[in-house]
């Protein structure tokens, strides 16, 4: 199966300029999700820019055979997939828009092939979820161990409990229900492996190697990526721009789609 079919690639918006004159927005979803999570911002972004969305291996409409326990044991395997999508579609001047763990996947991909990319948009990113000396990640080792043990022992129960907390916005329970349903559609084996790759990763050193214009979108209240994490990412990526959205939870593309899309469009409009 070819790469676009393998990752359920969809393309919307005006065709990019063949001479490289136009940007392409490449949307990458986070853990337990698929490209459906972009549906509230995608049409706005596609008004004047080509938008390419895809499903990570093991997610959504991706070919189940695309996921490999060896390749996808670390975020590097997912970064290789991103570059494969770019190569297959011959994407140039890519503005990579990554949500949550996909933000770091984009950092890894861009550091490997910077000539493919024009910029990065990192939505609620975290380079390391574990606290460390002088670093606030938001989770202790006991927190992460408990999270992973619970996921292993009862994935559906874990999803029902964690998804609404991750989404935030308790006054809008339909958002938590949507994320719960998305988690529950994910194969538990894939989810467990992706969770380990996500929550045990440490990509702090990769941030300083980013040479691209970068927008960091932080929510004012986010249990997964607290403000200290966004500030750290901003500090480590030279010349980056940090915008704190008037949004709560970890998924502003669903809870605050208009503000999220506006911030992305404003940033893209400044790119050469």
């Amino acid at each position: 199966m070819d790469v676009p079919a393998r990752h359920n690639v969809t393309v919307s918006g005006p065709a990019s300029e063949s001479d490289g004159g136009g940007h392409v927005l490449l949307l990458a979803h986070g853990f337990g999700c698929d490209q459906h999570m972009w549906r509230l911002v995608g049409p706005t972004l596609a008004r004047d820019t080509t938008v390419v969305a895809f499903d990570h291996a093991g997610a959504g409409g991706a070919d189940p055979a695309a996921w490999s326990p060896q390749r996808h044991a670390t975020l590097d395997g997912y970064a290789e997939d991103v570059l494969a999508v770019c190569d297959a579609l011959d994407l140039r001047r890519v503005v990579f828009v990554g949500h949550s763990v996909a933000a770091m996947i984009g950092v890894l991909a861009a550091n490997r092939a910077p000539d493919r990319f024009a910029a990065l948009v990192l939505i609620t990113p975290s380079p390391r979820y574990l606290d460390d000396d002088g670093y606030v990640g938001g989770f202790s080792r006991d927190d992460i161990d408990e999270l992973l043990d619970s996921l292993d022992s009862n994935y559906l129960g874990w999803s029902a409990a964690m998804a609404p907390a991750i989404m935030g916005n308790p006054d809008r329970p339909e958002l938590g229900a949507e994320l719960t349903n998305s988690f529950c559609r994910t194969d538990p084996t894939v989810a467990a492996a992706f969770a380990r790759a996500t929550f045990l990763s440490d990509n702090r050193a990769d941030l300083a190697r980013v040479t691209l214009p970068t927008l960091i979108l932080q929510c004012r209240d986010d249990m997964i990526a607290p403000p200290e994490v966004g500030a750290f990412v901003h500090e480590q990526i030279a010349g980056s721009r940090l915008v704190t959205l008037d949004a709560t939870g970890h998924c502003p593309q669903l809870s605050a789609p208009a503000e999220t899309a506006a911030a992305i469009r404003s940033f893209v409009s400044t790119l050469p």
Side-chain angles (χ1 to χ4, degrees), residues 22-270:
H23 293 101
V24 176
L25 294 178
L26 181 60
L27 308 184
H29 63 82
F31 169 84
C33 303
D34 58 31
Q35 63 183 276
H36 187 63
M37 291 291 173
W38 298 110
R39 73 188 184 284
L40 300 182
V41 299
T44 301
L45 298 176
R47 288 176 188 167
D48 45 24
T49 310
T50 302
V51 174
V52 177
F54 69 98
D55 293 332
H56 290 300
D63 177 11
W67 184 79
S68 162
Q70 293 78 33
R71 179 184 177 93
H72 298 103
T74 68
L75 300 187
D76 291 317
Y78 292 93
E80 290 173 8
D81 291 344
V82 168
L83 294 178
V85 169
C86 291
D87 290 342
L89 275 63
D90 194 25
L91 300 181
R92 306 284 175 179
R93 293 173 55 77
V94 173
V95 179
F96 181 93
V97 182
H99 172 234
S100 192
V101 64
M104 290 306 108
I105 292 169
V107 165
L108 293 173
N111 283 352
R112 290 187 188 183
D115 292 345
R116 278 278 187 200
F117 298 87
L120 296 173
V121 177
L122 311 179
I123 301 177
T124 60
S126 178
R128 177 182 165 107
Y129 294 89
L130 280 166
D131 296 333
D132 198 8
D133 291 340
Y135 172 80
V136 176
F139 295 86
S140 69
R141 182 65 202 221
D142 287 344
D143 291 334
I144 296 296
D145 288 343
E146 182 179 351
L147 182 153
L148 295 175
D149 287 346
S150 177
L151 189 154
D152 284 338
S153 62
N154 181 5
Y155 178 63
L156 294 181
W158 178 88
S159 299
M162 283 296 297
I166 292 170
M167 177 59 71
N169 297 275
D171 57 327
R172 301 163 68 187
E174 69 279 5
L175 296 178
E178 177 174 346
L179 191 60
T180 298
N181 291 335
S182 179
F183 279 13
C184 290
R185 288 194 299 270
T186 305
D187 180 279
T189 300
V190 173
F194 198 10
R196 279 174 169 75
T198 298
F199 288 107
L200 299 179
S201 63
D202 186 350
N203 298 108
R204 290 176 295 177
D206 298 300
L207 298 176
R209 293 197 281 271
V210 173
T211 59
L212 301 171
T214 300
L215 171 66
I216 302 155
L217 293 183
Q218 174 80 40
C219 291
R220 59 180 170 81
D221 184 8
D222 181 352
M223 69 168 287
I224 299 296
E228 294 90 342
V229 176
F232 178 85
V233 175
H234 174 47
E235 179 183 89
Q236 295 298 307
I237 300 180
S240 62
R241 182 188 306 178
L242 173 62
V243 173
T244 299
L245 302 171
D246 186 22
T248 60
H250 192 57
C251 305
Q253 72 272 46
L254 290 178
S255 62
E259 189 178 0
T260 301
I264 295 171
R265 293 186 76 199
S266 176
F267 173 68
V268 173
S269 72
T270 68

